Amino acid sequence: NAGVTQTPKFRVLKTGQSMTLLCAQDMNHEYMYWYRQDPGMGLRLIHYSVGEGTTAKGEVPDGYNVSRLKKQNFLLGLESAAPSQTSVYFCASSYSVALEGHEQYFGPGTRLTVT
Amino acid sequence: AQSVTQLGSHVSVSEGALVLLRCNYSSSVPPYLFWYVQYPNQGLQLLLKYTSAATLVKGINDFEAEFKKSETSFHLTKPSAHMSDAAEYFCAVSHKPNAGGTSYGKLTFGQGTILTVHP
């Protein structure tokens, strides 16, 4: 199993440009999440999904959109990038609520710089 | 709402010394608690988790953590530090599933503690 993969690994954008980050998991997980990581702030939840075709806002959703058209994929879009979106983005997935612990499995991250 | 506080953004120890990374949580109900480790330029890996089965939890690489409800703490320890333990460590808290099954397993992370190990 590849686990959770993210594409691309690095990206540099100019202010106002758009892009999509792709997350894929091969563990048949229902739940998927997008986080951003900034120094000294831990990880903050951007958006999440509890199943194919569903999405919901997390703590810091402004400026981002997501889609979950297929169970194994979770896309994060930036329509008009801003320097404040310079960050490392992590995707994660987990089993359904029927299991204890909600352990999340993380991808390797995408480092995004907006100039 | 739950929150997590990690005391000390940087901890430095000598190789072979005890590692102690502190985590305190606030939650209105007994939570699930996790420690994750992040090595440079990598994603997060689960070290261990508390799910109410036992208060002393053992994880990978000889790490362990003890859940203390009275102190609302879940500190991470390792008896003898190794150079390869140098990384950033995150404590996280999650809610248990609710009766309606709508809990999505949201994790709230602490700010992280960078562990440096000196020879």
Side-chain angles (χ1 to χ4, degrees), chain A residues 31 33 35 37 40-43 45 48 50 59 90 94 97 99-109 111, chain B residues 32 34 36 38 41-44 46 49 51-52 88 90 94-97 101 103-107 109-111:
Chain A
Y31 292 72
Y33 316 82
Y35 293 92
Q37 183 181 31
M41 302 188 75
L43 276 75
L45 184 64
Y48 64 97
V50 301
E59 303 169 69
F90 287 99
S94 67
V97 292
L99 295 180
E100 285 195 334
H102 297 293
E103 176 182 336
Q104 292 184 13
Y105 295 80
F106 284 82
R111 188 174 296 274
Chain B
Y32 292 147
F34 304 80
Y36 282 87
Q38 184 180 29
N41 300 313
Q42 294 186 27
L44 278 70
L46 183 70
K49 62 182 179 182
T51 58
S52 76
E88 188 163 16
F90 293 93
S94 174
H95 277 313
K96 290 183 178 180
S103 171
Y104 56 90
K106 175 179 177 283
L107 283 177
F109 286 86
Q111 308 92 312

Side-chain angles (χ1 to χ4, degrees), chain B residues 11-22 35 37 39 47-48 56-66 74-87 89 115-117:
Chain B
V11 170
S12 181
V13 300
S14 299
E15 192 173 19
L18 172 72
V19 175
L20 171 61
L21 304 182
R22 299 177 187 273
W35 275 101
V37 60
Y39 298 104
L47 269 180
L48 49 80
L56 183 62
V57 181
K58 294 188 183 298
I60 61 173
N61 299 336
D62 295 327
F63 281 95
E64 63 181 36
E66 187 172 7
F74 191 56
H75 302 329
L76 182 71
T77 60
K78 180 172 179 175
S80 177
H82 193 273
M83 297 293 290
S84 60
D85 295 326
Y89 292 79
L115 176 66
T116 303
V117 182

Side-chain angles (χ1 to χ4, degrees), chain A residues 53-84:
Chain A
T54 72
T55 64
K57 295 179 180 179
E59 303 169 69
V60 289
D62 293 342
Y64 305 95
N65 56 75
V66 288
S67 64
R68 184 103 180 264
L69 299 180
K70 293 182 178 181
K71 185 177 184 178
Q72 64 268 34
N73 295 338
F74 195 28
L75 306 180
L76 177 70
L78 286 72
E79 290 186 346
S80 180
S84 61

